[in-house]
Amino acid sequence: MTFSSKLIEKAVEAFASLPGIGRKTALRLVLHMLKQDKAATDQFAGALTAMREGIRECRQCHNLSDDELCQICTDPRRDRTLVCVVENIRDLMAIEDTSQFRGLYHVLGGIISPIEGVGPSDLNIESLEIRAKQGEIREAIMAISPTIEGETTIFYISKKLQPLGVQVSAIARGVSFGGDLEYADELTLGRSIVTRTPYAGR
Amino acid sequence: MTFSSKLIEKAVEAFASLPGIGRKTALRLVLHMLKQDKAATDQFAGALTAMREGIRECRQCHNLSDDELCQICTDPRRDRTLVCVVENIRDLMAIEDTSQFRGLYHVLGGIISPIEGVGPSDLNIESLEIRAKQGEIREAIMAISPTIEGETTIFYISKKLQPLGVQVSAIARGVSFGGDLEYADELTLGRSIVTRTPYAGR
């Protein structure tokens, strides 16, 4: 693409540096901004820099936070005896969106992966132990993908938490609601038979 | 989507306000920014505000420009006797990308559309007349969509330019190179037969 303006070229390059945005889309976004007020662009840029400047990690659960402790950790209505352990913030958000969990979280920041050189000390596992030692946590729910790395991580954490009197559980796995059996992967379908639940009847 | 951070919520809203970007994509972009240096976000925001602040319209052709005259108008290698009249900057860029045109441009900023209340005085037509009166323009190529509004605009402009001794032409229309005849629209295919060109032979 040929630009007769260096300013536009730089703005297009800025957008195109983001994942999933090509140069054509970037140009469309830039031209959209040019159609709007200068104030709209200032507000847009301001929201991003303010976010990048102000955001920090919750001291307790490592969630993204505006303050020292995140909104979830400081919410008095949430069950402080229940902690859901997740790999990353995106998983936390997905669980929050279900509105089914009213406990607290602990964001590991990854999973144990010897191949990628990620060991327990690279993750927020020690801080989870410290939280557990404070005695408030009754149960830790592992909401971690059941890959080899995920299972390793769950095993490692459970060995740390169980001696502290914390019950470790994992989220239920099985065929999705509404999912066709024939399209379920073999592992999920096989496990769903092994870990079948009693029929509750009507 | 539930955010435990007001800063993230505002940044996501900023991205989601752009055309074609939903909240899920916006979140992905925000999390991408959080993974990068603060400097990258500053640079991103800076490129956009600098663009929005600094950009102006070329005094001569109404192209987007960093200076009073755009890079195309000030390029001494371009043919100043030939002016390509386009509806908008995107069309100008598309033609520039072909590298087939070495004249100057004139960006109308729209086309005459009585239904949408766009009359000749809303477009950059008077400034084209003024350019033509300066006597340098020999030919004006209308690169405007052949819709009813487009044809009206071409007709209006030709009535203004022809008395000034400017030859008015329109870009060739026909079946695309590599386009299958059976998929060409009827109007294009019909016109392509009426406006057939002599076979040049080998």
Side-chain angles (χ1 to χ4, degrees):
Chain A
M1 240 180 298
T2 326
F3 300 107
S4 53
S5 155
K6 281 262 168 288
L7 292 168
I8 293 207
E9 195 163 349
K10 278 190 183 154
V12 167
E13 271 164 17
F15 271 121
S17 74
L18 299 176
I21 295 190
R23 283 173 71 84
K24 281 218 167 175
T25 305
L27 174 62
R28 194 161 49 83
L29 297 176
V30 166
L31 293 180
H32 169 82
M33 287 198 149
L34 284 173
K35 262 190 236 156
Q36 294 194 305
D37 286 350
K38 280 184 190 181
T41 303
D42 290 342
Q43 212 184 325
F44 179 89
L48 296 183
T49 46
M51 181 269 294
R52 196 66 190 77
E53 275 303 318
I55 208 81
R56 34 184 166 164
E57 222 178 76
C58 172
R59 184 169 52 80
Q60 179 165 265
C61 76
H62 308 281
N63 182 14
L64 292 176
S65 175
D66 298 349
D67 303 300
E68 214 183 333
L69 285 171
C70 76
Q71 285 185 6
I72 296 172
C73 284
T74 50
D75 186 342
R77 290 162 304 174
R78 299 190 75 123
D79 183 353
R80 319 189 76 76
T81 68
L82 208 56
V83 169
C84 183
V85 179
V86 291
E87 195 181 322
N88 54 45
I89 287 138
R90 224 185 271 231
D91 290 350
L92 182 155
M93 284 178 179
I95 294 169
E96 276 299 280
D97 283 349
T98 69
S99 309
Q100 294 296 314
F101 181 68
R102 300 304 298 163
L104 304 184
Y105 289 93
H106 196 84
V107 181
L108 294 177
I111 46 176
I112 296 170
S113 170
I115 294 169
E116 292 184 25
V118 181
S121 60
D122 300 315
L123 305 176
N124 302 319
I125 294 178
E126 205 188 328
S127 63
L128 178 59
E129 270 184 84
I130 294 169
R131 282 178 78 177
K133 278 177 187 158
Q134 286 161 1
E136 217 174 21
I137 303 174
R138 187 177 44 79
E139 182 180 349
I141 305 169
M142 303 288 136
I144 293 169
S145 301
T147 56
I148 294 171
E149 288 89 353
E151 297 287 3
T152 308
T153 309
I154 292 171
F155 182 78
Y156 184 90
I157 293 173
S158 68
K159 287 289 156 226
K160 294 283 180 188
L161 297 190
Q162 279 164 342
L164 299 170
V166 175
Q167 189 189 322
V168 176
S169 59
I171 57 166
R173 304 278 172 188
V175 178
S176 339
F177 285 97
D180 262 329
L181 286 200
E182 57 176 320
Y183 299 125
D185 64 286
E186 280 173 37
L187 182 66
T188 302
L189 189 55
R191 291 268 195 112
S192 78
I193 292 164
V194 175
T195 61
R196 63 195 176 276
T197 56
Y199 181 56
R202 294 196 185 206
Chain B
M1 239 180 301
T2 326
F3 302 106
S4 53
S5 154
K6 281 262 169 287
L7 290 168
I8 294 207
E9 194 163 348
K10 278 191 183 153
V12 167
E13 271 165 16
F15 270 121
S17 74
L18 298 176
I21 296 188
R23 282 172 70 85
K24 282 217 165 173
T25 305
L27 175 62
R28 193 162 48 84
L29 297 176
V30 166
L31 293 181
H32 169 83
M33 286 197 151
L34 284 173
K35 263 190 236 157
Q36 295 193 304
D37 286 348
K38 281 185 189 179
T41 303
D42 289 342
Q43 212 185 325
F44 179 88
L48 296 184
T49 46
M51 181 270 294
R52 198 63 190 79
E53 275 303 318
I55 208 81
R56 34 184 166 163
E57 220 179 78
C58 172
R59 184 169 51 81
Q60 181 165 264
C61 76
H62 307 282
N63 183 14
L64 292 176
S65 176
D66 297 349
D67 304 298
E68 213 183 334
L69 283 172
C70 76
Q71 285 184 6
I72 295 173
C73 283
T74 51
D75 187 340
R77 292 162 303 175
R78 299 189 75 124
D79 184 353
R80 316 190 78 75
T81 67
L82 208 56
V83 169
C84 183
V85 179
V86 292
E87 197 181 320
N88 55 46
I89 287 137
R90 222 184 272 230
D91 291 349
L92 182 156
M93 284 178 178
I95 293 170
E96 275 300 280
D97 283 349
T98 68
S99 309
Q100 294 296 315
F101 181 68
R102 300 305 297 162
L104 304 185
Y105 289 92
H106 196 84
V107 181
L108 294 178
I111 45 174
I112 296 171
S113 171
I115 293 167
E116 292 184 26
V118 181
S121 59
D122 300 315
L123 306 174
N124 302 319
I125 293 179
E126 204 187 329
S127 62
L128 178 59
E129 269 185 84
I130 293 168
R131 282 178 79 177
K133 278 178 188 158
Q134 286 160 1
E136 217 174 19
I137 303 173
R138 186 176 45 79
E139 183 180 348
I141 305 169
M142 303 289 134
I144 293 170
S145 301
T147 56
I148 294 172
E149 288 89 354
E151 297 287 2
T152 308
T153 309
I154 293 172
F155 183 77
Y156 183 89
I157 293 174
S158 67
K159 285 290 155 222
K160 293 282 180 189
L161 297 189
Q162 281 165 340
L164 299 169
V166 175
Q167 189 188 324
V168 176
S169 60
I171 57 166
R173 302 281 171 184
V175 179
S176 339
F177 285 97
D180 262 330
L181 286 201
E182 57 177 319
Y183 299 125
D185 64 285
E186 280 173 38
L187 182 67
T188 302
L189 189 55
R191 290 266 196 114
S192 78
I193 291 165
V194 175
T195 61
R196 64 195 176 276
T197 56
Y199 181 56
R202 296 196 183 204

